Amino acid sequence: MTGLVTAVSSNGVYSFTKPNRDSITLLAGLGVEGDVHAGVTVKHRSRVAQDPTRPNLRQVHLIHEELFAEVAAEGFDVEPGDLGENITTRGIDLLGLPVGTLLRIGDDAVLEVTGLRNPCLQIDNFRDGLLKQVVGRDEAGNVVRKAGIMSVVKEGGAVRPGDTIKAELPSGPHRPLERV
């Protein structure tokens, strides 16, 4: 399974959106160099309030570009970085990957998928009504989260738009993604 990086974003201060960059540098065990969410322990404000010593399973946030077309059909203008993601992708089913999938990006970087992003009310502050577009329910009534996936950096390296992404599924039984 392969895909493509279409944009990279980071921000050194807490802000819902993240500006696009020419490149970002991933640091093993930490996240995106200079990004407010980089670190060994949790950095997201809600997680810090619960327990600041927990491991940071949300070092790098990825969103599939296809989501932007989906929400555009419902009247929402969303661009790369707008939802706070670090890496915007195309052509890879991020939401269908199991926990533990390795994403090899560009020449050196390797991410390990940890789970789904749990969208929050800040999405509606960005675009009123958008939260309902990225969190819904399937036919069986199960919650479906579509706002991307979270990962940790296993091997660092530069990531740029145009880099390829190769997914390596874990061996053994696959665990579906859950919110982290």
Side-chain angles (χ1 to χ4, degrees), residues 30-45:
L30 294 174
V32 178
E33 182 177 46
D35 192 82
V36 70
H37 293 116
V40 174
T41 56
V42 293
K43 299 301 176 197
H44 288 76
R45 289 178 173 165

Side-chain angles (χ1 to χ4, degrees), residues 14-64:
Y14 278 104
S15 173
F16 183 70
T17 61
K18 294 187 179 189
N20 294 157
R21 309 288 183 192
D22 292 332
S23 69
I24 57 174
T25 301
L26 302 182
L27 302 173
L30 294 174
V32 178
E33 182 177 46
D35 192 82
V36 70
H37 293 116
V40 174
T41 56
V42 293
K43 299 301 176 197
H44 288 76
R45 289 178 173 165
S46 64
R47 303 290 196 284
V48 170
Q50 292 172 1
D51 180 358
T53 65
R54 290 179 53 194
N56 187 2
L57 301 178
R58 300 166 55 102
Q59 293 175 357
V60 181
H61 176 200
L62 297 92
I63 283 186
H64 50 297

